[in-house]
Amino acid sequence: MSMSVEDCARSRQGFPRPVPDTPTNVLQQFQLQGKVAVVTGAADGIGLSVAEAFAEAGAHVALWYNSNEAAVEQSVRIAEENGIKTAAFKVDVSDSSQVQKNIIKVLDTFGKIDIFVANAGMGISEPILEQSLEVYRKQMSVNVDGVVFCAKFAGQVFQKQGFGNLIITSSMSGHIVNVPVDQPVYNATKAFVTHFGKCLAREWREFARVNIVSPGFFDTKMGAGDSNINEVYRMSALGRQGHVKEVKGLYLFLASDASSYMTGSDVIIDGGYVLP
């Protein structure tokens, strides 16, 4: 029901809320000294790049991985190069009990969680008529259930702490129908987590910010394959795939005080791929 002008003119108790006590110097706003960040899918690709970015800005970082043991060595390297504390945790995010247990392990190791990046995902480019139900369920369990489980248990920590910052890695594929490769299930999983993140931004408004990053094609193991690489070059306004170093600044912005007035946003970083 519409409100009248008189209704809208009435003041609301508790508003306006105070501006956070953050630095006015823009470079200081990007610093993460003393913060603790968790990054899932951190063994390589975008996840590893994000972990590096946070460490370079001064944060302590927990690197979550599933099967790629390279995360253990990367954790040691990142700590040595940046003079911060890191730890690697083997976690299957599709298993809610593992997520919950490892959230507790992170708290035992670092004492708190300021930033959680739900980045782990899998990309399977198959038409639905060719994809087995087992493969469908696996993709849903990682791309959807994994994000939901991480959000639920990290969100409980944020609520108890009274602060927190969730960043969900989605995809431009949540906005478009990719061609020439058919991948309806993958696209749908990304549309789910994008809208899920927006809903959490409101639900958690009293204690945490939530934002979404939607990458396009990056030169990683989940990037373009032989069947669509030329179409990627043609469709991208910049005529190429992205390099993982080109996402570091965006995730750091969302994780830092530089984005303190930003929640519920879905930021597409795709080299201009989805331009009309």
Side-chain angles (χ1 to χ4, degrees):
M1 183 172 65
S2 299
M3 298 178 69
S4 67
V5 173
E6 290 76 15
D7 290 333
C8 294
R10 294 193 184 103
S11 61
R12 297 174 63 193
Q13 187 174 0
F15 291 89
R17 292 174 176 166
V19 175
D21 183 20
T22 57
T24 56
N25 180 284
V26 69
L27 295 181
Q28 292 177 6
Q29 290 177 5
F30 280 90
Q31 298 304 306
L32 297 180
Q33 274 86 2
K35 303 286 188 181
V36 175
V38 178
V39 182
T40 72
D44 57 15
I46 288 177
L48 176 59
S49 185
V50 171
E52 291 174 335
F54 292 172
E56 289 161 3
H60 308 297
V61 185
L63 290 80
W64 282 19
Y65 69 99
N66 180 27
S67 59
N68 190 347
E69 298 286 342
V72 178
E73 294 182 3
Q74 295 288 7
S75 173
V76 173
R77 175 185 64 81
I78 291 171
E80 291 177 347
E81 290 180 354
N82 297 282
I84 48 85
K85 182 178 180 179
T86 64
F89 298 83
K90 183 176 175 60
V91 189
D92 178 357
V93 297
S94 69
D95 183 335
S96 61
S97 64
Q98 288 193 37
V99 173
Q100 187 174 25
K101 290 175 183 177
N102 281 278
I103 289 281
I104 295 171
K105 288 181 180 180
V106 171
L107 292 173
D108 289 342
T109 303
F110 295 95
K112 62 174 181 172
I113 301 174
D114 296 279
I115 306 150
F116 195 105
V117 181
N119 171 76
M122 62 187 305
I124 300 176
S125 299
E126 290 180 342
I128 189 61
L129 296 182
E130 297 177 13
Q131 187 171 103
S132 70
L133 292 180
E134 289 74 21
V135 171
Y136 156 76
R137 291 188 185 100
K138 179 61 177 177
Q139 190 161 214
M140 293 291 290
S141 73
V142 175
N143 290 6
V144 173
D145 294 348
V147 172
V148 172
F149 297 156
C150 288
K152 179 174 179 61
F153 296 117
Q156 290 175 349
V157 174
F158 293 163
Q159 185 178 44
K160 185 176 181 179
Q161 293 176 160
F163 60 86
N165 188 339
L166 175 67
I167 303 170
I168 296 172
T169 299
S170 183
S171 171
M172 70 170 185
S173 299
H175 296 263
I176 63 172
V177 176
N178 296 64
V179 294
V181 177
D182 292 313
Q183 50 185 46
V185 173
Y186 176 80
N187 296 351
T189 65
K190 293 306 182 178
F192 179 104
V193 297
T194 295
H195 198 59
F196 178 65
K198 292 179 180 181
C199 295
L200 292 184
R202 185 196 180 280
E203 180 182 331
W204 297 0
R205 63 194 180 279
E206 299 295 339
F207 57 85
R209 294 192 294 118
V210 183
N211 288 291
I212 304 102
V213 177
S214 290
F217 285 100
F218 278 76
D219 191 9
T220 68
K221 65 183 181 183
M222 287 182 63
D226 293 340
S227 62
N228 63 340
I229 187 66
N230 290 323
E231 184 69 3
V232 170
Y233 295 156
R234 185 186 73 82
M235 287 289 292
S236 299
L238 297 182
R240 60 180 175 87
Q241 294 193 89
H243 189 284
V244 290
K245 68 182 180 181
E246 295 177 294
V247 300
K248 294 171 74 173
L250 174 55
Y251 280 88
L252 177 57
F253 169 68
L254 294 175
S256 72
D257 290 337
S259 61
S260 59
Y261 192 56
M262 195 167 179
T263 194
S265 293
D266 173 24
V267 185
I268 299 175
I269 177 167
D270 67 346
Y273 192 100
V274 303
L275 292 172

